[in-house]
Amino acid sequence: MNALIPRPRLRIAPGAVHVPGWLTLDQQRELVVACRAWASGPVPIRHTALPSGGVMSVQTVCVGWHWQPYRYTRTAGDVNGAAVAAFPDWMADLGRRALVEAYEDETAGDGYTPDTALINFYDGQATLGMHQDKDERSSAPVVSLTIGDSCVFRFGNTRTRAKPYTDLELASGDLFVFGGPSRYAYHGVPKILPGTGDPATGLTAGRLNITLRVTGLTDPGKEVPSQG
């Protein structure tokens, strides 16, 4: 929903930038439609099983490459064995424009070639613990988009899951980019704020989070192993 008081652009840490309200309402609606189509297959949205035996409370569907802890593959061996949907060119272009906007530099998107999107759906009770996005071979920035309900987003440091960290609210249409010195910062979502989204986006409840990444993988016969 539109804020009564404009929210300022924030540089949370070097390379980490929050741009409120970057996506238009039309863009949000288009993304919701696209994500709904991907959620139905070829690899459907699911709660990801963890090696510990637990299950993530967020539901995930992937585009371009299939992610599971802690690797990327072209097919979803942990779900149904199908190949994931192709990563669309228009989404790569969106990622490049996001970097230009976040870093306020017309050249910031040059050479940025995201090839996967992890799409997470949070219901009102879902959370995501502090973690690093380090299953990629590339250190290119991560582009994160929020649609629907707002959340408390916790952005920390590169050394530990504990403090220091910054809590901020990500609302529908917001852009958050983290790269450079902050590329491997711990981050998480401790809380969703139900009822804060705008149904005009096409999402009546919950939060949709789309993160664009560069896997650094070019051989479809290989996996990206975890760096951790």
Side-chain angles (χ1 to χ4, degrees):
M1 300 177 70
N2 293 329
L4 295 177
I5 300 175
R7 295 174 297 145
R9 168 195 299 265
L10 294 175
R11 180 176 176 270
I12 306 301
V17 181
H18 175 210
V19 183
W22 182 63
L23 291 171
T24 67
L25 188 57
D26 284 344
Q27 288 174 318
Q28 293 176 66
R29 279 194 290 258
E30 290 168 0
L31 283 167
V32 168
V33 169
C35 290
R36 281 209 172 100
W38 290 322
S40 66
V43 179
I45 196 167
R46 86 287 182 195
H47 292 279
T48 301
L50 300 171
S52 63
V55 176
M56 294 176 63
S57 60
V58 299
Q59 299 179 64
T60 303
V61 65
C62 304
V63 178
W65 291 91
H66 178 72
W67 176 84
Q68 59 177 300
Y70 294 97
R71 64 186 187 273
Y72 286 101
T73 55
R74 285 296 193 188
T75 57
D78 62 328
V79 183
N80 61 1
V84 297
F87 186 85
D89 291 341
W90 61 262
M91 188 170 273
D93 182 63
L94 183 67
R96 287 187 283 271
R97 288 189 282 116
L99 292 189
V100 169
E101 177 67 31
Y103 294 141
E104 299 180 289
D105 179 354
E106 290 297 326
T107 68
D110 294 355
Y112 185 63
T113 55
D115 58 349
T116 191
L118 270 64
I119 301 159
N120 288 333
F121 177 74
Y122 296 73
D123 63 21
Q125 288 73 48
T127 61
L128 189 61
M130 294 292 278
H131 66 283
Q132 293 171 300
D133 291 346
K134 61 176 184 177
D135 296 333
E136 300 80 26
R137 287 182 180 164
S138 170
S139 60
V142 173
V143 171
S144 175
L145 303 168
T146 293
I147 302 173
D149 285 339
S150 299
C151 75
V152 176
F153 180 65
R154 181 164 290 170
F155 194 78
N157 61 85
T158 59
R159 301 176 305 280
T160 173
R161 290 179 173 85
K163 293 181 178 181
Y165 52 68
T166 299
D167 283 352
L168 65 150
E169 183 177 323
L170 295 184
S172 196
D174 284 7
L175 164 67
F176 192 90
V177 170
F178 55 103
S182 293
R183 172 58 179 81
Y184 298 109
Y186 283 92
H187 57 283
V189 178
K191 188 177 183 180
I192 298 296
L193 306 175
T196 53
D198 185 350
T201 62
L203 193 65
T204 57
R207 174 184 183 246
L208 196 61
N209 178 228
I210 304 165
T211 60
L212 309 185
R213 310 166 186 216
V214 180
T215 64
L217 186 65
T218 56
D219 182 353
K222 293 183 179 179
E223 297 180 349
V224 176
S226 171
Q227 299 175 21

